[in-house]
Amino acid sequence: MKIARFNQGRVGVIDDDRIIDVTSLAGIDPAEWPETGPTKLIARLVNNPGMFDEALKSAPSLLLKEVRLQTPVPWPNKVIAFPVNYHDHAAEMKATYRATHQGFFLKPNSSLSGASDPVVLPQLPGREVHHECELGIIIGKGGRHITREAWKEHVFGYACLLDMVVRGKEERVTRKAYDSFCPVGPWITTADEVGDAENIEMKLWVNDELKQHANTRDLVLNIAGMVEMASAVMTLYPGDIIASGTPAGVGPVVGGDVIRIAIERVGEMSVKVVQGHGGRTDVFESAYVPPTAKQG
Ligand code: MN
């Protein structure tokens, strides 16, 4: 099943070129704030994966190309992200550490955006904003102290994820927290449809030029390891999102660019980049110095 959020907080199931509106079936109020309906829906689907099966036959539907796709889980408990999780990206960043012994960071929920939303660049003279092509792993059944062996019981599905970042050496979260710096979409494809998640091809293009191409089998810390590490520290809840880490080929984007990300058996989305007007802060006053030695 492919579960999307669309238009103004509606929820739908993708059926070929249509989207079946299950908002009322799911008991979701699109006007609710905070928008925790999709988070609760994931928890319910974990216990009752077939809850829509009968209703899907008669629920109203729309043409997929005519809807605005929003980020599928706008209000998770947390977005967990693993830095330096591909050896080739570590080499390009001159990083001597790896996710296995460095751990993870968090991105704020407010940085989440969807397939139809632009990435809005802050106005930071002398700085570059880079794309990072990542697999988004959406937690289903929550838990603490999840073992590597049990990881599949806890993963609900997958999505394309862009971990946008202001390059630099300042606090990682500050550089990665701008609004729209975490596009997730175009929908969640449930784990049963994705199959072997430890062998998925992912690609990223900027303006149709291939920039990143990798397979999840090359992750330094694999999905089982990410679930184990995150849950050793924190309780994972339904709807939590894990960003896998990026392979080599990161690079700058500017206003007018289009970032396209495609993940095999998961989905594909094209996200526009626009230059915004705000976002300056003393943190980014000094120019970016590309890595020449190990980066902290
Ligand atoms: Mn990243």
Side-chain angles (χ1 to χ4, degrees):
M1 191 162 58
K2 295 181 174 68
I3 302 167
R5 189 165 144 267
F6 68 101
N7 294 351
Q8 296 292 320
R10 306 196 71 79
V11 174
V13 175
I14 307 298
D15 179 20
D16 195 22
D17 63 345
R18 300 191 73 83
I19 183 164
I20 303 170
D21 191 332
V22 295
T23 311
S24 56
L25 289 172
I28 288 174
D29 172 8
E32 181 188 39
W33 187 90
E35 276 197 78
T36 52
T39 311
K40 292 174 191 159
L41 175 59
I42 289 171
R44 289 174 63 199
L45 282 165
V46 167
N47 292 319
N48 184 8
M51 65 182 274
F52 293 138
D53 286 358
E54 265 311 300
L56 284 179
K57 295 169 191 162
S58 56
S61 71
L62 293 138
L63 272 174
L64 182 56
K65 66 181 181 190
E66 289 177 358
V67 305
R68 266 197 89 255
L69 289 171
Q70 299 181 287
T71 202
V73 190
W75 210 279
N77 182 259
K78 53 194 161 296
V79 180
I80 304 155
F82 284 84
V84 201
N85 206 11
Y86 279 92
H87 291 297
D88 59 358
H89 175 60
E92 75 179 346
M93 298 309 292
K94 309 280 195 293
T96 54
Y97 59 87
R98 299 293 184 272
T100 42
H101 292 85
Q102 180 72 13
F104 50 83
F105 60 98
L106 299 177
K107 280 174 83 90
N109 292 344
S110 49
S111 67
L112 288 165
S113 59
S116 301
D117 302 318
V119 167
V120 181
L121 301 179
Q123 203 163 39
L124 303 177
R127 289 300 179 118
E128 293 180 348
V129 173
H130 283 201
H131 56 79
E132 295 190 348
C133 171
E134 309 201 6
L135 177 69
I137 301 145
I138 290 83
I139 296 297
K141 181 182 154 194
R144 184 85 201 278
H145 308 305
I146 299 167
T147 62
R148 283 186 184 234
E149 294 70 31
W151 74 274
K152 285 181 183 169
E153 293 167 36
H154 295 269
V155 173
F156 178 75
Y158 302 91
C160 302
L161 187 150
L162 298 171
D163 178 19
M164 304 303 297
V165 55
V166 177
R167 273 297 161 229
K169 294 180 181 176
E170 298 79 9
E171 286 290 348
R172 190 173 252 124
V173 170
T174 313
R175 294 186 287 107
K176 289 174 175 260
Y178 279 96
D179 284 7
S180 81
F181 268 28
C182 195
V184 174
W187 42 68
I188 299 169
T189 302
T190 51
D192 58 308
E193 278 193 21
V194 173
D196 183 8
E198 306 274 33
N199 183 8
I200 302 183
E201 291 279 318
M202 44 194 227
K203 291 180 181 173
L204 180 144
W205 300 258
V206 176
N207 306 330
D208 291 327
E209 186 182 334
L210 183 65
K211 297 285 190 182
Q212 296 189 269
H213 181 191
N215 188 297
T216 51
R217 67 173 169 257
D218 296 323
L219 285 163
V220 179
L221 182 65
N222 64 12
I223 301 171
M226 288 188 258
V227 170
E228 179 193 52
M229 185 189 288
S231 73
V233 178
M234 309 174 290
T235 301
L236 300 186
Y237 291 99
D240 281 0
I241 299 169
I242 299 177
S244 66
T246 194
V250 301
V253 289
V254 297
D257 284 346
V258 176
I259 305 169
R260 178 156 59 101
I261 177 171
I263 302 185
E264 189 185 14
R265 306 193 297 280
V266 172
E268 174 173 341
M269 62 179 183
S270 290
V271 175
K272 291 187 180 121
V273 179
V274 301
Q275 179 62 58
H277 296 291
R280 286 187 80 157
T281 151
D282 289 347
V283 176
F284 299 125
E285 282 302 297
S286 61
Y288 168 58
V289 180
T292 50
K294 77 170 184 178
Q295 197 170 27

